[in-house]
Amino acid sequence: MAKIKIDGKQFEVEAGKNLLDTCLELGFDIPHFCFHPALGSVGSCRLCAVKKYKDEEDSRGRIVMSCMEPVTDGLIISTHDEEEKTFRAEVVESLMTNHPHDCPVCDEGGECHLQDMTVMTGHNYRQFDFKKRTYQNQELGPFIKHEMNRCIQCYRCVRFYKDYAGGKDLNVFASNNRVYFGRFEDGTLENEFSGNLTEVCPTGVFTDKTAHKHFTRKWDLSNTPSVCTHCSLGCNTLAGERYGTLRRIRNRYHGDINGYFLCDRGRFGYEFVGSDNRIKEIWKQNGNREVVSSESLSEVLSGAFQEGHNMVGIGSPRASLEANYSLLSLVGTDHFYHGVSAHEYELTKMALDFMQNSGIQIPTLKQMETADVVLILGEDLVNTAPRMALAVRQAARHSMNKDAGAKKIPEWTELAVRDNQPVLSTQIYVATPKKDSLDDVIKQPFRGGYSEIAALASSVAALLDKNAPAADSEHKKLASDIAKALQNAENPLIISGVTCGDKEVLQSACNVAQALLNNDKKVMLGMIFPESNSTGLSLFPGKPLADLFASSEKKPVDTLVVLENDLYRRAETGQVNDFLLKCKQVIVLDQLQNETTVKADVVLPAAVFSESEGTLVNNEGRAQRFYKAIPDGENGQARESWLWLNELKEIKENGFEGWSSLDDVFQSMLNELPAFAALKGKFPDEGFRMLGRKIPRESFRYSGRTSIHARESVSESYPPEDFDSPFAFSMEGQQEDPPSSLITSYWSPGWNSVQATNKYLDKPNGDLKGGNPGIRIFPTAAKSKTSYFKLNGSKSNKGTGEWQLFPVYQIFGSEELSAAASSLSERIKEPFLLLHPDDARDAGIDESTAVQVEIKNEKLTLRVNFENSLPRKVAGVSLQLPGMPFVALPGSGKITKM
Amino acid sequence: MHTAIVIVVVLLVVISIAAGLIWVERRLLALWQDRLGPNRVGPLGLMQVLADMIKIFFKEDWIPPFADKAVFIIAPAITMVTTLLSFAFIPWAPNFVVFDSNFGILFFLGFSSLGVYSVVLAGWSSNNKYSLLGGMRASAQMLTYEVFMGISLMGVVMMADSFSFSAIVKAQQHMWFFIPQFAGFVVFFIAGIAETHRLPFDIPEAEGELVAGYHTEYSGMKFGMFFVGEYMGITLISAIIATLFFGGWLGPSFLPPFVWFFLKTFFFIGVFILLRAGLPRPRYDQLMEFGWKILFPLSLVNLLVTAAVLLFIK
Amino acid sequence: MYSILRTLWLTFLHLFHKSETVEYPEVKPYLAPRYRGRIVLTRDSDMNERCVACNLCAAACPTDCISLQAAEGPDGRRYPEFFRINFSRCIFCGLCEEACPTYAIQLVPDFEMGEYDRQNLVYEKENLLISGQGKYPDYNFYKQAGVDMGVKKKGEGENEEKPVDTKTLLP
């Protein structure tokens, strides 16, 4: 602790941090550009000048850059001395000499850090009489718009893109007064986190191209806290609405999960809500399609729910807990099936069982950043859980920090830390079948098929603990290196997941963790699940789809209700076709049209995440609420799934009074399902008020209130009411200091840009004031109750002529909903097969030709891509890209030339 | 038969004058403020009154749900009735009076006291804080000024030796009473303004602070009754001043007596409007202080001096 | 007391003053060129819409009676997809005009906008857009701004250098 004096006031603060960080934590408004809490300081913009005094007698002081000044005991500074104010104003004035007169057409305008700083420092008159410098822009792909004239050379973009996110195709070029930030040539920014440039850039050089199509200023957005539904990590997002449509997704700070950054799938995948494929009407299908009014729905469905009917419901890992529960309550526990394949069902149950009972630490992404040894088994992180890949990358940074720390280099002096370790030496081990995005920060890559990965992990476990099942890997040296590193680690982290799809990999990963646990080591286990609510769904009672298919052979299904689920992504086409033929009436609730909705007798339009409210459980067992950003009725007949199911239940049971709000559904779910008991009373319900008022979604400077609806009627009506959440669809209410889970916007006087986030945190890059949102529902077992998994050992397919096939996830395309987003679709690849060039030559296959792949009963036509990093006789098959049927992967299959 | 004709004539004339005053006041105020005033409806804007009447009759006659209904309805009627009844005692010309009572002045004072009820009940029954405040102010103000309004008239009564308006007019054959009774005239005139709560003494309805005071909740013809009642009050006070202090119908014979009466009355109505055009509103406490500390002693002194002088002369 | 009587007398004397009233509509009042009346959207000298849909007018509007949506033309030029002013709410304060960075929105000396039906007071872009430049002729925002949106190429605007050659090594 250090005692410092700022503007004559005493503070007791943590020593060793940088002064700017500390001042921001204390709430001082110190102007700054190049400093970003997550990126550290480089001292290049000279804006954060403060005056430092030698001692109490010193009245002259000297100007120092607060971001480069360590906090020491007895430090005396002032933040608004005349001289330093002039200094800062002049710095901004010089930065503004070349800044174009663009604000009216700039998408950053209104939430621009440069605008804020110009106002804050008081510069208001241009004295520079010469011409402005200009640049040519680059075309940076479907996500990011480039306008280089606006650049003020703060280097934040390359520091994020290159240093923080590991991107390789954005850099700084040229010299002198010509410094240029961009790619070597025009082209799509390849890094999966490029969207963060829009928030990192303090001006409008990089802006959101998707939001530009329906641009809305920050103050005009009606913001609602939401949770990303495109992977299992549950990153927090802010959904911005205007004129009844979703305008953009922005990062919502969560100290434990996403911090300041989102992946591109989470940021740009939202566009699927406006897809042409959206279902907006109730359809009755019987060869032809007929639109049904909501009033006559009960007539259409009256036959579906007769006494004695065999009624079955299929839940969904991408629907909220409440929607799944509504379905369960409609059909009854015995008739509720998880809408996942038997394989995924089993793996998920197994992983969750281990997580809950082993007493292992389930890390947050923030904790992963502090791991010193990381072992990743089978998971292609950047594609299955992108934000986790970014967190693991920071673990590499962490090792740099530790190294520098030993030499007394403070970790926030970004450049010095980097120079200290020009060649990265980390303890990250990645074992995957193909090259990984993290390869540039890892100690040693391991490339092998799933069975070899499992063998490697098993021998690591065996080396760590003699009681672990013995295993025999060909890579003894690597295994013992990893075992040694894990043994000596302070904070080891093991990552695997259900997404890799291999039971043995998953089991062996658990075995490594178990071995470390048995050695009384502290160990973290990161698990990745396929979809946003996979964890939540698996806590429901119910059976996998395969059971349903089997039982339908004996007892035909009279009425089938499918909740937000495309069965053709869960089981083989033929199997699903057979099953659906056996169902007399199929009712499907979904957002987008898919093969299942085509086969349905009745299709009910379900609301998307931005139009509904519910709870999702992420990969670490954290239950989080997302809220509706768009009032009901803006998208035709689309309604929230629980409302539809509620109506079906009213049709089915005459006496059922129905749930009147989501809180009712949630309450009865807690009463019925003990797995969620921990959530009781944890979410602010509809009755939540601050100072007697709801929390407004709209900013206090929301414009057009009396004009938006004037075209329909000049008489103003009441704003729509929200009966489910603590938010109001208006600007009326209590905006200041909401609970951390209910923040609708980052704003503070003088801080219109996203930098205002810091005002909501206990310290920059720290936790949200009042704690990070979400409730962890897994009780942590005090003692390990699990034992080692016995691995069956791999079946060798040598000599059978079959190939070992593993799934290749794609960040863009493998997830069902985001694949329908228009900007993402430009990045989605054609279904492909990854082959080692040597293997291909042996088989006589050329690159980019089409081949036929036969896996079990399914035949796929795929385009061949060469991949040097693959082990021999192992091939990767792109997973569930648009147009691909379900295939059981990993598995073995035949590849034939066409 | 004669009385019946007189009643009809008085009623019609008084109500039309009161209604016409709406136009007169707006035009006069406008002139004094360098404007034109209503000049669009009919010749010189004279039909404005009719237009206003039609409008006010067609307005929604709304009674707030929280009001005391019966009292709310009765209140505006009281002001009309009491003021109209007072006109019964005022002779417009020799033998042109509804009821030439020996106690005319007492009746007038009595009815004007009853008029307080109208305002108080309106304020109370509206069940609204501004109305109530207005009603309370009105009652205090009117009760206060009532006291020396009566006393200020006693000098006249003593000099004429009668409470009858006709007798008092006749007693002014040689000298209008405003000369010997100047103090009484001044006190009565000021009390008269306060009694009709006209500007500058419109404290019960001071719109800057009380919205519209006791008639905040009134609309349509109920409001119209207050409105017309106010103008009838002005006419009444002006007529009484003309009668008691300026010789009523008396005047040189080239004009008939009732013309003199109306000329004098209209002169004072004009003065009422001039006061509105020229003077700002005093504070409530200033009004009460002025009443009790200046006007009340003044009227008492006037009474004593008059009594002493009369005693001395007789 | 004297002052009260004097006030009354002076007020009375106004009876003989000339009235200030202008008898509209027979006599039209004089409206200064900067009179804040009817709101119009103007065009630049090339007869293109000046409005760039920056939303500042809407933000400045104290009665929130302006709403619009930005859209982009084929050459990247920004324009309002719709632009709506609810004149039943407008108080003609002129803040929108002051906020406008492109001189697009202007208040002109005309106030005769009365309607019998309130709905007719809702003006859309086609009701607002005039075919003229209004009070500020020859101003073209895109020549001042740094962006290339079809009006001028990079570096060809007023007060702009030619685009930087990032490949040069000269000091």
Side-chain angles (χ1 to χ4, degrees):
Chain A
M1 288 310 242
K3 278 196 177 125
I4 61 170
K5 206 169 188 179
I6 305 173
D7 294 341
K9 260 188 230 154
Q10 282 283 359
F11 293 98
E12 201 159 326
V13 297
E14 197 184 321
K17 296 209 312 189
N18 74 63
L19 183 55
L20 177 56
D21 206 345
T22 305
C23 287
L24 292 175
E25 178 184 340
L26 294 172
F28 286 93
D29 288 342
I30 309 247
H32 60 270
F33 272 123
C34 63
F35 172 81
H36 186 287
L39 305 178
S41 353
V42 291
S44 74
C45 72
R46 318 312 282 170
L47 190 61
C48 62
V50 295
K51 228 168 185 191
K52 181 182 173 184
Y53 299 90
K54 211 159 57 189
D55 49 40
E56 293 284 358
E57 273 74 54
D58 183 7
S59 61
R60 277 183 61 205
R62 63 192 177 92
I63 286 179
V64 296
M65 295 307 124
S66 60
C67 73
M68 301 305 283
E69 190 71 18
V71 172
T72 50
D73 203 26
L75 187 68
I76 304 170
I77 61 158
S78 75
T79 64
H80 51 255
D81 177 82
E82 250 343 286
E83 202 185 344
E84 62 184 286
K85 268 161 59 180
T86 319
F87 182 92
R88 293 196 293 241
E90 283 169 359
V91 168
V92 166
E93 184 170 2
S94 67
L95 290 175
M96 293 294 280
T97 52
N98 285 315
H99 194 76
H101 182 55
D102 264 6
C103 300
V105 289
C106 175
D107 287 359
E108 193 87 354
E111 51 180 328
C112 175
H113 193 43
L114 181 60
Q115 280 179 341
D116 287 354
M117 292 303 103
T118 309
V119 173
M120 199 178 276
T121 53
H123 164 64
N124 55 18
Y125 188 77
R126 181 181 168 85
Q127 301 178 58
F128 183 75
D129 242 0
F130 302 95
K131 292 183 165 183
K132 288 180 178 179
R133 177 191 57 204
T134 58
Y135 290 102
Q136 297 290 4
N137 298 331
Q138 286 180 332
E139 170 58 46
L140 296 179
F143 300 150
I144 305 289
K145 223 169 118 72
H146 193 221
E147 187 58 53
M148 189 55 206
N149 281 358
R150 298 170 186 155
C151 182
I152 54 159
Q153 278 78 29
C154 72
Y155 283 73
R156 265 192 187 188
C157 51
V158 284
R159 280 161 61 211
F160 169 76
Y161 195 85
K162 216 159 71 87
D163 301 346
Y164 193 92
K168 295 184 183 57
D169 56 337
L170 181 87
N171 216 327
V172 51
F173 300 97
S175 62
N176 201 345
N177 197 24
R178 297 181 292 262
V179 171
Y180 189 87
F181 296 85
R183 297 183 86 250
F184 182 66
E185 54 186 9
D186 282 24
T188 304
L189 282 175
E190 280 156 13
N191 193 272
E192 293 78 5
F193 304 94
S194 63
N196 294 303
L197 291 175
T198 62
E199 289 187 41
V200 166
C201 178
T203 79
V205 177
F206 300 102
T207 48
D208 186 335
K209 213 178 230 177
T210 66
H212 183 77
K213 286 182 247 170
H214 30 66
F215 180 68
T216 309
R217 295 256 177 240
K218 180 183 184 180
W219 65 73
D220 281 342
L221 285 170
S222 157
N223 287 314
T224 312
S226 191
V227 174
C228 182
T229 54
H230 302 306
C231 85
S232 64
L233 296 183
C235 294
N236 286 197
T237 55
L238 267 184
E241 175 264 0
R242 177 124 178 130
Y243 304 134
T245 58
L246 186 61
R247 293 308 166 112
R248 70 174 190 190
I249 290 288
R250 279 243 156 174
N251 181 54
R252 180 161 65 96
Y253 188 93
H254 191 294
D256 284 337
I257 308 176
N258 46 315
Y260 292 96
F261 306 116
L262 286 180
C263 73
D264 285 357
R265 179 157 86 191
R267 187 181 295 269
F268 303 114
Y270 74 93
E271 279 186 310
F272 80 89
V273 305
S275 151
D276 295 338
N277 232 359
R278 266 301 290 280
I279 305 167
K280 294 180 180 176
E281 294 153 329
I282 306 172
W283 289 334
K284 192 177 156 200
Q285 301 180 133
N286 192 3
N288 57 341
R289 181 175 287 165
E290 192 185 316
V291 176
V292 177
S293 73
S294 359
E295 291 78 43
S296 49
L297 178 66
S298 60
E299 237 170 85
V300 172
L301 292 177
S302 57
F305 301 110
Q306 279 163 18
E307 276 292 315
H309 262 190
N310 180 19
M311 188 163 53
V312 165
I314 297 178
S316 167
R318 63 173 161 92
S320 66
L321 293 182
E322 289 84 349
N324 276 310
Y325 169 72
S326 305
L327 179 64
L328 182 135
S329 142
L330 172 73
V331 297
T333 313
D334 297 337
H335 298 93
F336 181 74
Y337 291 86
H338 293 192
V340 295
S341 67
H343 185 61
E344 185 183 323
Y345 180 86
E346 186 195 349
L347 292 191
T348 311
K349 287 268 182 214
M350 196 180 80
L352 279 181
D353 179 61
F354 187 79
M355 284 162 77
Q356 291 187 62
N357 295 323
S358 62
I360 202 161
Q361 187 193 355
I362 304 162
T364 63
L365 294 191
K366 188 63 163 277
Q367 285 164 336
M368 289 188 184
E369 294 182 3
T370 62
D372 49 359
V373 177
V374 185
L375 176 60
I376 299 170
L377 293 169
E379 279 293 339
D380 180 8
L381 282 193
V382 85
N383 287 311
T384 56
R387 186 61 185 80
M388 193 186 275
L390 196 60
V392 171
R393 193 170 278 281
Q394 301 327 302
R397 232 168 123 92
H398 183 70
S399 85
M400 288 199 301
N401 287 342
K402 244 172 76 176
D403 197 29
K407 294 178 188 158
K408 301 253 166 72
I409 304 172
E411 61 177 64
W412 43 266
T413 53
E414 190 51 32
L415 292 176
V417 168
R418 234 160 248 289
D419 289 345
N420 176 54
Q421 205 186 52
V423 180
L424 206 58
S425 83
T426 63
Q427 303 260 42
I428 300 174
Y429 299 89
V430 176
T432 50
K434 70 170 184 69
K435 77 165 191 293
D436 197 87
S437 77
L438 288 169
D439 281 356
D440 57 332
V441 293
I442 66 178
K443 175 114 177 165
Q444 196 175 345
F446 174 80
R447 297 286 107 91
Y450 280 152
S451 52
E452 285 149 304
I453 293 170
L456 175 74
S458 298
S459 38
V460 170
L463 287 169
L464 285 169
D465 182 8
K466 271 171 258 140
N467 300 328
D472 190 27
S473 170
E474 296 160 22
H475 306 272
K476 292 216 168 62
K477 169 79 175 60
L478 180 61
S480 74
D481 279 356
I482 297 174
K484 219 174 283 167
L486 286 172
Q487 189 61 42
N488 297 330
E490 282 169 31
N491 231 355
L493 166 66
I494 293 153
I495 295 176
S496 188
V498 175
T499 24
C500 77
D502 193 77
K503 191 173 170 187
E504 287 184 8
V505 170
L506 197 60
Q507 284 178 333
S508 61
C510 292
N511 280 355
V512 176
Q514 185 75 48
L516 285 167
L517 281 177
N518 289 357
N519 289 0
D520 286 334
K521 291 272 313 174
K522 200 180 121 194
V523 55
M524 302 187 283
L525 176 68
M527 274 290 170
I528 302 164
F529 296 92
E531 280 171 75
S532 57
N533 204 17
S534 291
T535 323
L537 178 66
S538 66
L539 295 172
F540 273 73
K543 289 158 279 186
L545 268 186
D547 291 16
L548 175 59
F549 294 165
S551 70
S552 69
E553 301 281 340
K554 281 166 248 153
K555 192 178 172 197
V557 176
D558 294 313
T559 304
L560 173 71
V561 184
V562 182
L563 170 68
E564 302 180 25
N565 208 336
D566 180 6
L567 299 182
Y568 289 89
R569 288 174 71 93
R570 312 290 176 190
E572 286 177 351
T573 313
Q575 217 174 356
V576 180
N577 279 340
D578 289 349
F579 168 67
L580 290 180
L581 276 178
K582 285 194 206 87
C583 302
K584 281 204 192 107
Q585 182 156 32
V586 180
I587 302 166
V588 177
L589 294 81
D590 216 332
Q591 295 111 352
L592 299 177
Q593 293 180 58
N594 53 41
E595 285 176 72
T596 311
T597 62
V598 171
K599 293 275 165 67
D601 298 307
V602 177
V603 179
L604 301 175
V608 295
F609 75 97
S610 58
E611 293 153 16
S612 57
E613 185 181 336
T615 313
L616 299 174
V617 183
N618 79 349
N619 69 320
E620 42 163 345
R622 186 188 295 268
Q624 301 186 103
R625 260 290 155 85
F626 60 95
Y627 299 92
K628 73 174 83 146
I630 294 165
D632 297 338
E634 292 286 352
N635 255 321
Q637 291 177 312
R639 289 168 76 189
E640 294 175 66
S641 294
W642 73 264
L643 277 170
W644 283 127
L645 294 163
N646 188 22
E647 199 170 320
L648 296 190
K649 196 166 177 187
E650 279 171 30
I651 296 170
K652 181 190 165 206
E653 296 165 27
N654 260 334
F656 182 65
E657 282 177 15
W659 296 299
S660 62
S661 74
L662 191 86
D663 290 332
D664 290 354
V665 187
F666 192 67
Q667 247 348 295
S668 49
M669 180 180 84
L670 295 190
N671 294 338
E672 215 170 305
L673 303 176
F676 301 107
L679 298 179
K680 200 173 175 81
K682 290 287 168 57
F683 292 114
D685 60 8
E686 194 279 325
F688 179 87
R689 294 287 185 279
M690 285 180 70
L691 302 179
R693 306 163 82 193
K694 285 195 148 197
I695 298 172
R697 286 176 166 89
E698 295 168 7
S699 78
F700 65 88
R701 194 45 271 172
Y702 192 81
S703 78
R705 184 173 45 87
T706 61
S707 172
I708 292 173
H709 302 294
R711 195 190 170 101
E712 294 89 65
S713 167
V714 73
S715 314
E716 281 144 34
S717 52
Y718 281 98
E721 289 206 55
D722 188 347
F723 298 107
D724 297 324
S725 81
F727 300 104
F729 282 111
S730 71
M731 62 175 84
E732 284 164 48
Q734 175 63 21
Q735 198 131 36
E736 292 85 38
D737 303 320
S740 58
S741 62
L742 304 179
I743 293 170
T744 54
S745 162
Y746 295 107
W747 184 86
S748 175
W751 300 84
N752 299 302
S753 75
V754 70
Q755 316 297 325
T757 309
N758 292 335
K759 298 274 180 191
Y760 292 77
L761 310 181
D762 61 357
K763 62 180 183 209
N765 209 13
D767 294 334
L768 281 160
K769 280 177 187 159
N772 292 320
I775 289 99
R776 301 278 288 258
I777 53 175
F778 293 159
T780 30
K783 247 182 97 190
S784 179
K785 288 183 276 184
T786 47
S787 52
Y788 288 110
F789 291 104
K790 281 254 161 38
L791 274 70
N792 297 330
S794 57
K795 283 165 270 158
S796 167
N797 56 0
K798 271 174 196 151
T800 58
E802 293 217 316
W803 294 69
Q804 222 188 90
L805 300 172
F806 70 95
V808 180
Y809 273 85
Q810 291 291 293
I811 179 170
F812 304 121
S814 288
E815 196 267 333
E816 184 181 353
L817 295 178
S818 64
S822 58
S823 64
L824 250 62
S825 62
E826 291 182 38
R827 303 279 309 264
I828 296 175
K829 293 185 186 142
E830 220 183 313
F832 60 83
L833 177 77
L834 288 183
L835 271 187
H836 194 280
D838 295 346
D839 279 344
R841 203 179 43 233
D842 294 350
I845 298 169
D846 293 328
E847 187 160 19
S848 302
T849 53
V851 291
Q852 197 175 54
V853 180
E854 199 178 329
I855 310 164
K856 285 198 183 160
N857 308 319
E858 206 71 62
K859 276 183 191 147
L860 299 171
T861 310
L862 302 170
R863 194 161 290 280
V864 174
N865 290 346
F866 283 176
E867 175 61 61
N868 286 316
S869 61
L870 282 179
R872 301 295 300 269
K873 267 304 183 195
V874 172
V877 176
S878 63
L879 194 84
Q880 304 208 315
L881 291 182
M884 282 181 75
F886 173 87
V887 279
L889 287 172
S892 49
K894 284 199 187 85
I895 300 175
T896 45
K897 244 166 78 174
M898 286 184 82
Chain B
M1 189 59 205
H2 173 72
T3 319
I5 293 169
V6 173
I7 287 174
V8 171
V9 171
V10 167
L11 198 65
L12 282 179
V13 170
V14 167
I15 290 180
S16 3
I17 287 177
L21 274 184
I22 298 172
W23 176 81
V24 171
E25 171 159 48
R26 289 179 62 184
R27 285 293 274 196
L28 274 179
L29 274 179
L31 286 176
W32 280 319
Q33 293 167 349
D34 292 350
R35 297 185 284 115
L36 287 178
N39 61 10
R40 292 278 150 175
V41 191
L44 293 173
L46 268 170
M47 304 306 276
Q48 186 71 43
V49 177
L50 195 68
D52 283 351
M53 291 280 278
I54 293 168
K55 182 193 79 172
I56 217 160
F57 269 110
F58 280 95
K59 273 204 164 185
E60 187 187 358
D61 188 19
W62 194 70
I63 298 172
F66 44 81
D68 185 334
K69 237 173 231 158
V71 182
F72 190 85
I73 293 167
I74 292 169
I78 296 177
T79 187
M80 288 277 282
V81 170
T82 53
T83 325
L84 272 176
L85 280 175
S86 296
F87 274 101
F89 310 102
I90 299 172
W92 291 12
N95 289 325
F96 194 87
V97 59
V98 178
F99 177 34
D100 192 9
S101 163
N102 283 340
F103 306 101
I105 288 181
L106 290 183
F107 271 111
F108 156 68
L109 289 174
F111 282 131
S112 77
S113 304
L114 282 175
V116 181
Y117 281 104
S118 159
V119 180
V120 175
L121 291 179
W124 177 80
S125 69
S126 294
N127 206 355
N128 160 325
K129 59 186 166 192
Y130 294 122
S131 300
L132 186 62
L133 276 173
M136 277 161 58
R137 283 185 181 189
S139 58
Q141 172 184 336
M142 289 171 80
L143 287 175
T144 303
Y145 279 76
E146 194 89 4
V147 174
F148 39 86
M149 186 159 114
I151 297 173
S152 67
L153 289 183
M154 288 311 114
V156 175
V157 172
M158 275 190 282
M159 288 184 73
D161 224 358
S162 169
F163 278 108
S164 155
F165 283 97
S166 306
I168 292 171
V169 173
K170 281 171 192 151
Q172 296 181 67
Q173 286 283 9
H174 304 294
M175 183 172 56
W176 291 352
F177 280 160
F178 90 97
I179 297 165
Q181 281 297 317
F182 188 72
F185 160 64
V186 170
V187 173
F188 180 79
F189 183 65
I190 295 173
I193 302 169
E195 200 56 22
T196 49
H197 31 84
R198 279 283 300 179
L199 280 108
F201 294 158
D202 68 335
I203 285 163
E205 48 193 288
E207 67 270 21
E209 37 200 285
L210 294 183
V211 188
Y214 59 88
H215 59 62
T216 303
E217 300 289 356
Y218 281 88
S219 68
M221 201 47 218
K222 292 203 192 66
F223 167 75
M225 274 150 92
F226 276 122
F227 203 57
V228 173
E230 182 177 318
Y231 285 107
M232 288 202 303
I234 297 170
T235 318
L236 176 65
I237 298 291
S238 303
I240 286 174
I241 290 172
T243 310
L244 296 186
F245 295 99
F246 289 85
W249 70 77
L250 296 176
S253 56
F254 58 84
L255 287 174
F258 73 90
V259 176
W260 281 115
F261 173 79
F262 280 114
L263 277 178
K264 291 171 187 173
T265 306
F266 274 114
F267 174 75
F268 286 103
I269 289 173
V271 174
F272 264 92
I273 295 168
L274 182 62
L275 284 173
R276 175 172 180 181
L279 294 183
R281 183 189 301 134
R283 228 166 45 216
Y284 180 61
D285 61 320
Q286 288 171 334
L287 175 82
M288 298 304 277
E289 210 169 84
F290 180 64
W292 286 115
K293 290 191 182 163
I294 297 174
L295 293 182
F296 182 52
L298 188 63
S299 60
L300 281 179
V301 169
N302 177 50
L303 180 63
L304 286 173
V305 171
T306 310
V309 169
L310 283 178
L311 202 64
F312 183 74
I313 293 172
K314 285 184 184 170
Chain C
M1 188 66 205
Y2 165 73
S3 78
I4 289 177
L5 292 176
R6 184 169 169 273
T7 305
L8 290 177
W9 176 243
L10 288 177
T11 310
F12 179 73
L13 285 185
H14 273 270
L15 204 57
F16 309 108
H17 286 205
K18 195 178 161 285
S19 165
E20 295 285 342
T21 309
V22 179
E23 293 221 49
Y24 179 85
E26 289 86 13
V27 185
K28 300 282 183 195
Y30 167 71
L31 300 179
R34 292 174 62 170
Y35 182 89
R36 298 196 305 258
R38 179 189 294 273
I39 299 176
V40 295
L41 289 174
T42 59
R43 294 173 188 271
D44 60 24
S45 46
D46 305 329
M47 285 301 122
N48 288 319
E49 273 177 63
R50 266 187 179 147
C51 179
V52 299
C54 72
N55 275 291
L56 286 181
C57 50
C61 180
T63 60
D64 287 345
C65 72
I66 305 179
S67 63
L68 65 154
Q69 172 60 50
E72 202 178 65
D75 46 6
R77 189 188 175 104
R78 277 163 58 110
Y79 68 95
E81 192 176 7
F82 72 85
F83 194 109
R84 185 179 306 134
I85 300 183
N86 180 355
F87 278 107
S88 75
R89 285 285 184 182
C90 179
I91 56 170
F92 300 94
C93 64
L95 287 180
C96 49
E97 183 178 17
E98 282 192 40
C100 184
T102 66
Y103 294 133
I105 197 166
Q106 296 183 9
L107 274 72
V108 296
D110 171 20
F111 56 84
E112 291 169 326
M113 303 174 69
E115 294 281 355
Y116 283 105
D117 184 358
R118 219 150 71 84
Q119 188 64 46
N120 295 341
L121 287 167
V122 179
Y123 280 41
E124 296 291 333
K125 191 167 94 177
E126 55 267 29
N127 311 115
L128 295 164
L129 194 62
I130 61 166
S131 305
Q133 303 189 55
K135 287 177 266 187
Y136 307 94
D138 294 335
Y139 180 81
N140 191 339
F141 168 78
Y142 286 108
K143 290 188 177 147
Q144 312 290 327
V147 290
D148 168 12
M149 289 185 172
V151 175
K152 53 108 190 164
K153 292 262 178 300
K154 275 283 171 77
E156 289 174 4
E158 288 170 29
N159 215 12
E160 270 189 353
E161 301 270 14
K162 288 273 158 256
V164 160
D165 177 10
T166 49
K167 304 257 159 58
T168 180
L169 289 173
L170 293 174

